[in-house]
């Protein structure tokens, strides 16, 4: 039997046919049909599913479920995309539209960060965990929780918004309208912004040289690369960033006593350079001597497809 | 059938005989036998249990379980008090000592903040909740979580230390050794300390008059009382306190999407004066439009006994 996993993003709709060993045996990616909205999205999922099944020598009777993850909030019944700004979906009855094509095959809908945590649980960093947290450091900070060996979608099914827990009450402005959120300090965007400030403050820095002093050429990777090479300005920015990230991770550990906290997204590509300092920082701030591991997320770009394909299993 | 609930504190050992309607039908309180350590504590529990049963016209055969809560950390097997500083218990095999008296009657051990959350679940603010958080604002900040309709003792059974999640990374020093913990901003102690500072800064304030400028006469209640009467210095301290507390509550809501956050401890006696501003503050910072309730904890001094008596039911 197969499960279909669909990862809808603002640019592409990625779809994969996942076998019982949780491998993606067939996959496709098409431009997200923004103009067509929900109906066209559902039609594409239907069409691509049939193509992938065909390529794999299967039919619809080999399909256990269709799982879909979106960058947005889902209603408590798991049927409607309340808001997915990048997709232009608002109160979009996406499940119903997909079910219209697939009829008796169960369809599941989830937030993409939750899906990514689920992918880590079934095939990645969280295998064997009962309680774990995923932080994805990109444009924003996404978060997903595993509690009791299952995807945790919030006590009221609103989802989890770890990125908007407060790390510095009253501090830096966050895109959500509040001040001091984890996202405002720990996103790749935040690292970039601090990099720009440091570069402007110090024209002798490597940060300045690498970007020619141009803000638009700065990004998280430039800061990390310069810090690795020992550039003083970059090291300072990076150390402060790690200190904030350490506080965010330690907060999750002190509240949930997680077995594992995994870090994904662009910034995590910094590898041991990041994780060695981060672990030290978290250990200092953890209330528990014997606390959970801090590791890189491993599912990368496949997290969405695998997580979506596992939504049915998560319910069982 | 009855359950015995025991709430051990640094001063008193309170014990109650709890019936199936979760009422304390008989109770006693004795000085905590500090000198006698674990063995004497177990003996007292045994002796008082027999007295209470006797008074209620029951016998040991009417006893379903003995539950004990302590202000400290319990090992993952629920048998040993790892550290309870106020009791002088360190690696104390308390369960074993109690079992030696009670033999076949099941004995359960838990942290007192977890027990308090359980009491709210069975008889208080959390009745009917699946996910809820309790913050107890006293000398420190205690915390307990209900997840999936049960007491959550941390993913690795280390417990939950909500008071040591970070609210202001790098901020005020906390007794735990870190900087910026919730406890450092939201405990009654923190409110008192800010009251002392404000009083010293402004000898014309009501804060100063009420205390005669003496730090030892300041406490959380004085700050709250003066704020209620509109004293400018006190209002400023109180508003800042509510802002931090609002951030702590909003963080829990954004991470866990709790149905209910209950606030207990001395500070919560401020009543609607506190809760009206707190709810407004939390609503502003909550990521979810439709978020959980923020209410006073209702179990008060009985929380320990009731929670302890419910430890067996929590496992079923």
């Amino acid at each position: 039997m197969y499960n279909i996993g669909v990862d809808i993003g603002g640019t592409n709709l990625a779809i994969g046919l996942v076998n019982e060993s949780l491998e993606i045996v067939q996959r496709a990616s098409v431009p997200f049909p923004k103009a067509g909205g929900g109906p066209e999205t559902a039609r594409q999922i239907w069409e691509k599913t049939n193509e992938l099944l065909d390529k794999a020598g299967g039919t619809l009777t080999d399909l256990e479920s269709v799982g879909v993850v979106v960058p947005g909030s889902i209603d408590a019944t798991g049927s409607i995309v309340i808001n997915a700004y990048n997709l232009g979906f608002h109160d979009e009855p996406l499940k119903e539209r997909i079910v219209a094509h697939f009829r008796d095959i169960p369809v599941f809908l989830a937030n993409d960060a939750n899906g990514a945590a689920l992918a880590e649980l079934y095939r990645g960093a969280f295998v064997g965990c009962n309680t774990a947290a995923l932080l994805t450091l990109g444009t924003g900070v996404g978060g997903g929780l595993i509690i009791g060996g299952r995807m945790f979608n919030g006590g009221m099914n609103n989802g989890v918004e770890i990125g908007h827990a407060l790390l510095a009450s009253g501090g830096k402005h966050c895109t959500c309208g509040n001040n001091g959120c984890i996202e405002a300090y720990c996103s790749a965007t935040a690292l970039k912004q601090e990099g720009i400030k440091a570069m402007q403050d110090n024209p002798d820095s490597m940060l300045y040289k690498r970007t020619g002093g141009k803000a638009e050429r700065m990004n998280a990777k430039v800061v990390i690369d310069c810090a690795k090479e020992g550039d003083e300005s970059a090291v300072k920015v990076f150390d402060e960033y790690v200190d904030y990230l350490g506080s965010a991770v330690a907060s999750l550990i002190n509240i949930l006593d997680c077995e594992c906290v995994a870090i994904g997204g662009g910034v995590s590509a910094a590898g041991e350079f990041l994780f060695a300092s981060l672990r030290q920082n978290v250990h200092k701030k953890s209330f528990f001597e014997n606390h959970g591991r801090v590791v890189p997320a491993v599912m990368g770009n496949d997290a969405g497809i695998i997580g979506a394909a596992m939504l049915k299993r998560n319910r069982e």
Side-chain angles (χ1 to χ4, degrees), chain A:
Chain A
M1 294 294 280
Y2 295 112
N3 288 280
I4 279 285
V6 185
D7 182 3
I8 312 184
T11 313
N12 289 306
L13 182 156
I15 179 166
L17 187 67
V18 177
N19 69 10
E20 292 185 5
S21 309
L22 313 193
E23 294 152 348
I24 303 175
V25 292
Q26 291 290 336
R27 65 168 81 215
S29 179
V30 294
F32 168 64
K34 204 155 191 166
E40 179 58 14
T41 301
R43 205 193 58 73
Q44 290 265 18
I45 292 171
W46 168 248
E47 192 180 296
K48 288 293 153 198
T49 297
N50 281 289
E51 282 179 30
L52 298 187
L53 274 169
D54 204 38
K55 280 191 198 163
T59 71
L60 285 169
T61 56
D62 300 315
L63 200 58
E64 229 183 300
S65 77
V66 176
V68 180
V69 296
V70 299
S73 49
I74 311 293
D75 78 320
T77 69
S79 308
I80 294 164
V81 181
I82 299 176
N83 279 309
Y85 294 97
N86 290 338
L87 309 184
F89 283 177
H90 305 284
D91 293 324
E92 167 63 43
L94 189 60
K95 178 173 165 172
E96 187 187 293
R97 299 201 198 277
I98 300 171
V99 168
H101 292 280
F102 286 88
R103 294 165 179 269
D104 295 338
I105 298 167
V107 174
F108 299 90
L109 215 57
N111 167 271
D112 58 358
N114 282 347
L118 201 55
E120 297 293 340
L121 177 65
Y122 284 111
R123 231 190 74 183
F126 298 158
V127 168
C129 286
N130 255 287
T131 307
L134 172 67
L135 284 177
T136 309
L137 313 175
T139 311
V141 172
L145 290 181
I146 300 296
I147 298 184
R150 282 165 194 271
M151 183 175 90
F152 180 74
N153 192 35
M156 300 170 70
N157 260 313
N158 280 317
V160 296
E161 288 290 345
I162 301 174
H164 300 283
L166 288 118
L167 190 58
S169 185
K172 274 209 278 183
H173 190 71
C174 180
T175 51
C176 74
N178 282 324
N179 295 302
C181 296
I182 287 178
E183 179 162 307
Y185 291 86
C186 301
S187 62
T189 312
L191 184 54
K192 175 180 110 178
Q193 284 164 345
E194 294 302 316
I196 292 171
K197 278 191 224 163
M199 161 198 94
Q200 289 168 342
D201 285 352
N202 186 0
D204 293 332
S205 64
M206 194 184 289
L207 284 174
Y208 194 97
K209 284 167 198 149
R210 286 281 164 88
T211 55
K214 293 192 165 54
E216 64 274 20
R217 289 178 57 191
M218 180 65 74
N219 58 42
K221 189 171 182 302
V222 170
V223 178
I224 293 165
D225 288 347
C226 292
K228 277 183 178 169
E229 294 185 46
D231 178 56
E232 209 177 306
S233 297
V235 166
K236 190 158 171 287
V237 169
F238 185 75
D239 285 351
E240 277 173 15
Y241 177 85
V242 170
D243 192 34
Y244 279 113
L245 183 58
S247 292
V249 172
S251 287
L252 289 170
I253 284 178
N254 292 344
I255 295 174
L256 294 170
D257 183 28
C258 322
E259 294 158 273
C260 185
V261 179
I263 310 288
V267 177
S268 70
E272 273 307 294
F273 182 67
L274 169 68
F275 283 93
S277 341
L278 181 61
R279 285 190 193 107
Q280 226 174 2
N281 193 285
V282 169
H283 186 67
K284 214 175 61 189
K285 295 170 181 169
S286 163
F287 197 86
F288 311 115
E289 184 60 27
N290 168 35
H291 59 76
R293 291 169 294 129
V294 180
V295 302
V298 300
M299 295 302 296
N301 291 334
D302 287 345
I305 289 176
I306 297 286
M310 290 299 101
L311 287 170
K312 178 167 184 287
R313 191 186 289 191
N314 178 62
R315 295 285 188 94
E316 284 162 0

